């Protein structure tokens, strides 16, 4: 398909942005039309109009539907973020002075993406405190594997307002986003409780376990064998170790509420650590709901005390 000729047309409207997001989410014009309550031809016409305004092809059309081009993927991500800010603008405007004694209130959805360990052990107490202080906020949490784009990708693509991610020297905050470290958690040797020689056991590991920094430390330890068992997540690792079938090297957050059948051994002063932090967009970082969540996260103590 040839690139549409750019024309000095009007700005892209919120309705057009919603059309783009729906087509990308549903994978085609017909499916998007059903979601939007429009005809298929109206959706197709709207997308062609947006492409003319921007001067780029946003979707590849074919028998299998409509797939975003590279430009389309970026445009849809921007569209999600713009629409989210429009919703936030309305919610915060309604909340100005609406509380007791003229205080501002915070209400509306708050979309959170988190890796499994954070979703299970870090977020619940923060969300409990958030609900007590701001009952109008409606948080939703989606567990995202911290592999590839991970939780940061969800924020960048406009699918989440805040991501709880592993960040730091080996995993910096991606360009275009903002964030900070919430806690540093040390790694420990994890083994069946009471085992006389845990280092003799097979090593159990999982894909999301370590950053490149930790792997470098790992490679320097001649007592750590290659993993012979690979599990789906840290919960499965704990189950295997608890059954006496192996040892593992795990971060503190994964050991929260570990069963009594699990023992841990400190790895010494040179032990590796993992940085866990939040990531959001520059525009959402100033919103009331995101700031409220970050405050509650910062108020939590490190899992190591």
């Amino acid at each position: 398909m040839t690139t549409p000729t750019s024309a000095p047309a009007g700005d892209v409207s919120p309705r057009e942005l919603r059309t783009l997001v729906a087509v990308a989410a549903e994978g085609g014009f017909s499916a998007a039309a059903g979601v939007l309550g429009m005809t298929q031809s109206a959706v197709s016409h709207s997308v062609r109009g947006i492409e003319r305004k921007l001067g780029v092809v946003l979707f590849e059309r074919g028998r299998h539907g409509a797939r975003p081009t590279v430009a389309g993927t970026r445009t849809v991500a921007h569209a999600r973020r713009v629409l989210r800010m429009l919703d936030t603008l309305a919610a915060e405007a309604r909340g100005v002075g609406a509380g007791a004694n003229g205080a501002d209130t915070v209400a509306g959805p708050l979309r959170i993406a988190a890796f499994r360990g954070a979703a299970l052990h870090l977020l619940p107490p923060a969300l409990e405190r958030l609900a007590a202080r701001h009952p109008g906020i409606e948080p939703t949490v989606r567990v995202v594997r911290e592999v590839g784009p991970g939780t940061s990708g969800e924020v960048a693509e406009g699918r989440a307002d805040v991501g709880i991610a592993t960040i730091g020297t080996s995993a910096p905050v991606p360009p275009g986003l903002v964030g900070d470290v919430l806690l540093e958690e040390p790694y420990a040797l994890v083994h069946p409780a009471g085992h006389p020689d845990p280092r003799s056991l097979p090593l159990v590991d999982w894909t999301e376990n370590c950053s490149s920094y930790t792997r470098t430390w790992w490679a320097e330890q001649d007592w750590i064998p290659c993993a012979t068992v690979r599990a789906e997540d840290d919960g499965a690792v704990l189950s295997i170790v608890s059954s006496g079938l192996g040892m593992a090297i795990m971060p503190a957050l994964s050991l929260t509420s570990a069963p009594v059948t699990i023992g841990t051994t400190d790895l010494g002063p040179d032990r590796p650590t993992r940085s866990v932090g939040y990531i959001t967009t520059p525009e959402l970082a100033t919103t009331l709901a995101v700031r409220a969540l970050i405050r509650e996260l910062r108020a939590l103590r490190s899992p190591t005390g």
Side-chain angles (χ1 to χ4, degrees):
M1 180 179 292
T2 58
T3 302
T5 302
S6 179
D11 294 335
V12 179
S13 70
R15 181 172 182 176
E16 290 174 315
L17 295 179
R18 291 188 179 91
T19 300
L20 290 180
V21 171
V23 172
E26 301 301 323
F29 296 153
S30 296
V35 171
L36 296 168
M38 300 167 61
T39 65
Q40 186 272 342
S41 59
V43 171
S44 180
H45 177 76
S46 178
V47 172
R48 286 197 301 271
I50 300 167
E51 289 177 328
R52 284 195 297 270
K53 290 180 182 181
L54 301 180
V56 293
V57 175
L58 300 177
F59 293 95
E60 295 176 350
R61 285 80 160 170
R63 290 181 300 170
H64 302 294
R67 298 179 180 177
T69 61
V70 174
T73 297
R74 180 168 295 185
T75 301
V76 169
H78 283 305
R80 292 193 191 100
R81 289 167 62 167
V82 169
L83 291 171
R84 183 69 182 105
M85 286 306 300
L86 289 174
D87 292 340
T88 301
L89 180 154
E92 294 200 356
R94 288 191 295 267
V96 174
N101 300 318
D104 295 345
T105 61
V106 188
L110 178 62
R111 306 168 304 162
I112 306 166
F115 63 91
R116 182 182 179 277
L120 288 177
H121 307 302
L122 181 63
L123 276 174
L127 293 180
E128 183 178 5
R129 293 164 58 103
L130 186 71
R133 289 174 169 79
H134 305 285
I137 295 179
E138 303 165 2
T140 57
V141 180
R142 189 150 59 91
V143 177
V144 177
R145 285 174 60 83
E146 195 69 324
V147 176
T151 56
S152 300
E154 295 298 298
V155 174
E157 291 293 323
R159 297 187 181 92
D161 304 326
V162 181
I164 308 301
T166 53
I167 60 178
T169 303
S170 61
V173 176
L177 301 179
V178 296
D180 197 8
V181 173
L182 294 167
L183 60 91
E184 293 279 352
E185 50 173 346
Y187 280 80
L189 174 63
V190 182
H191 50 80
H195 194 284
D197 186 15
R199 294 190 179 194
S200 66
L201 294 169
L203 179 67
V204 187
D205 200 8
W206 81 101
T207 304
E208 296 175 83
N209 188 13
C210 297
S211 66
S212 58
Y213 156 71
T214 308
R215 292 295 182 187
T216 299
W217 173 90
W218 193 304
E220 294 171 350
Q221 314 305 308
D222 55 12
W223 61 272
I224 302 179
C226 293
T228 54
V229 180
R230 288 207 171 264
E232 179 65 21
D233 54 46
D234 52 350
V237 172
L238 283 176
S239 179
I240 294 170
V241 172
S242 177
S243 299
L245 301 177
M247 66 168 179
I249 297 173
M250 304 182 72
L253 201 61
S254 295
L255 302 177
T256 305
S257 303
V260 295
T261 50
I262 292 288
T264 61
T265 300
D266 192 287
L267 290 171
D270 296 326
R271 64 191 178 184
T273 61
R274 182 174 71 171
S275 302
V276 177
Y278 72 87
I279 289 178
T280 186
T281 63
E283 61 269 20
L284 284 169
T286 62
T287 60
L288 297 177
V290 170
R291 288 166 56 196
L293 174 63
I294 293 171
R295 278 196 299 270
E296 300 307 336
L297 287 168
R298 289 192 181 282
L300 297 176
R301 297 179 62 192
S302 162
T304 58

